[in-house]
Amino acid sequence: MNHRVTRNFQSLRLSLGSACDLACSYCVAPKEVRPQAGELKPKDLARLANLLHRVLGLKKIRFTGGEPLLGNRLERLIEALGPLDGVERSLTTNGQLLKGKLKILHRAGIQRLNVSLDSLNPRAFTRLTQGGELKKTLQGIDAALDQGFKLKLNMIPQKGINQNEVGALLNYALGRGMELRYIELMRMGHLRKEAIFSKLFYGQAEILRALKKDFLIRPLNREWAATATRYEVVQRGFFGMIANESAPFCRDCDRLRLSPRGELVGCLSSEKSFSLVPLLGLSDLAALAALPELLKQALAEKREQRFTGSGLWMKEVGG
Ligand code: SAM
């Protein structure tokens, strides 16, 4: 069966802006804390998200970036977004500003947070993030847990950088009732070059081999359209494995990205994006009429088999 006809986008990643207060080595080279040229105002991104919801009937929306907690873009976006009935809201953050933003997140109906945490060693954390403070992220995590938020942690193990911490991070997450997700490094942006990528790549097989030395684990069935395969750590909790390279999940991927420049990105393997900016000059009725064709084109970019790598940067399209 041809998935392009049968499947649709259900899950939107909305990038508030490419600006980030960190510059994680896998994500981007330079740190840039101001929005880049051409990025839309939050109210325009909100209008586009609303239009997308009216056409697609989204199930999930994840706010991301760049760093979505930087400045007040999230506050302005949420105010303009309105209720978006039936859509589960979540957010991905590096956690540096998390503690001070919890009230806003709560008010915005965002209960699920993914926090990027690649090391528990303060010096390694600062090196890897090019300037981040481990303490701030850990304090953000503790405060969010105290206030009842549901958290997952994202770790990208890399050879020679933090692969020796896969067990420590799992212990940390299990000890606080959180699910850790190991994300295989993706060939994006500067990592598209095979020589750089293969030097750093530390994949599912190696991660599982390392974990099996210290943990009793068993795989669970992967849910439809889920990025992660989940594992149980017997009697202790769960973790997930997002194995873009080793076990691609492209076939049932239902994710759509809206970049800060108002572009639709249907697939991370494709650098072809579809600008929704012209829709901002139209009435709702005219914009809703134009949107399905653009969505069809974005959907046609989806790969059926595997992520093939691209020159896109997560920071720019929304991680
Ligand atoms: N600033 C936020 C943060 O740090 O979580 C949100 C944006 S960041 C781009 C979101 C996610 O992108 C991170 O959790 C990271 O795992 C992922 N990411 C960025 N570059 C990646 C790469 N080359 N391979 C795999 N994941 C990547």
Side-chain angles (χ1 to χ4, degrees):
M1 214 187 293
N2 182 350
H3 77 271
R4 290 199 174 114
V5 180
T6 57
R7 77 170 165 184
N8 212 339
F9 296 116
Q10 298 276 277
S11 175
L12 178 68
R13 301 230 165 149
L14 192 163
S15 172
L16 276 91
S18 59
C20 191
D21 47 349
L22 302 183
C24 300
S25 59
Y26 48 73
C27 185
V28 67
K31 176 156 68 179
E32 173 57 77
V33 290
R34 282 164 311 180
Q36 290 182 336
E39 298 195 351
L40 299 180
K41 293 192 176 113
K43 75 169 174 39
D44 290 333
L45 286 172
R47 174 151 186 250
L48 294 178
N50 256 301
L51 291 167
L52 287 168
H53 181 48
R54 285 167 70 181
V55 173
L56 292 168
L58 293 167
K59 289 191 177 144
K60 294 179 186 172
I61 182 164
R62 171 173 293 281
F63 304 104
T64 181
E67 174 49 46
L69 299 183
L70 211 56
N72 65 358
R73 284 176 74 83
L74 181 69
E75 292 84 326
R76 288 159 60 205
L77 181 105
I78 294 298
E79 203 181 301
L81 199 56
L84 286 191
D85 290 336
V87 186
E88 181 195 290
R89 298 168 181 220
S90 59
L91 175 132
T92 304
T93 174
N94 60 37
Q96 294 282 288
L97 301 167
L98 184 56
K99 198 172 166 189
K101 293 277 187 171
L102 291 171
K103 270 198 194 119
I104 289 151
L105 293 174
H106 185 69
R107 272 206 304 274
I110 300 170
Q111 278 301 310
R112 290 179 186 275
L113 306 174
N114 281 29
V115 181
S116 299
L117 182 62
D118 296 292
S119 175
L120 288 170
N121 173 315
R123 275 204 292 192
F125 182 91
T126 301
R127 204 177 323 120
L128 208 151
T129 57
Q130 300 190 59
E133 261 184 72
L134 175 66
K135 201 170 68 184
K136 285 191 192 163
T137 293
L138 297 186
Q139 286 171 348
I141 290 172
D142 285 341
L145 288 172
D146 276 354
Q147 295 188 26
F149 285 85
K150 293 194 170 64
L151 268 72
K152 284 185 182 154
L153 300 181
N154 289 347
M155 175 197 194
I156 303 183
Q158 294 181 84
K159 221 184 283 172
I161 298 202
N162 62 348
Q163 98 277 13
N164 57 344
E165 291 197 62
V166 291
L169 265 147
L170 184 56
N171 270 324
Y172 169 80
L174 291 170
R176 286 165 174 74
M178 293 182 284
E179 199 161 309
L180 174 67
R181 290 149 25 120
Y182 299 103
I183 303 178
E184 281 186 351
L185 192 65
M186 295 173 77
R187 304 162 191 271
M188 298 186 69
H190 61 309
L191 298 179
R192 194 174 189 184
K193 290 200 178 108
E194 180 58 31
I196 306 179
F197 177 81
S198 52
K199 222 166 93 184
L200 295 169
F201 183 75
Y202 189 75
Q204 165 171 255
E206 290 154 301
I207 298 168
L208 290 175
R209 203 176 310 124
L211 292 178
K212 279 176 185 162
K213 289 183 192 149
D214 297 317
F215 301 88
L216 190 56
I217 60 180
R218 62 180 190 93
L220 305 171
N221 287 333
R222 176 179 166 269
E223 284 170 25
W224 182 256
T227 47
T229 300
R230 295 176 73 230
Y231 290 77
E232 183 183 2
V233 183
V234 176
Q235 295 187 344
R236 292 193 61 195
F238 301 90
F239 70 88
M241 183 73 71
I242 304 186
N244 309 288
E245 277 291 315
S246 316
F249 41 83
C250 297
R251 230 164 36 92
D252 55 343
C253 168
D254 64 0
R255 271 163 290 283
L256 172 68
R257 284 177 161 81
L258 179 61
S259 83
R261 292 194 170 100
E263 300 146 332
L264 286 181
V265 177
C267 177
L268 287 176
S269 287
S270 165
E271 286 168 36
K272 208 160 159 191
S273 62
F274 303 87
S275 178
L276 299 188
V277 174
L279 302 193
L280 292 170
L282 303 179
S283 67
D284 274 9
L285 209 63
L288 288 168
L291 205 43
E293 178 54 32
L294 289 162
L295 283 164
K296 204 169 118 195
Q297 290 177 34
L299 196 59
E301 290 305 306
K302 278 214 179 288
R303 300 293 182 265
E304 304 199 17
Q305 298 296 333
R306 60 183 307 116
F307 176 65
T308 53
S310 73
L312 297 174
W313 304 83
M314 278 290 202
K315 175 177 150 128
E316 286 176 6
V317 292

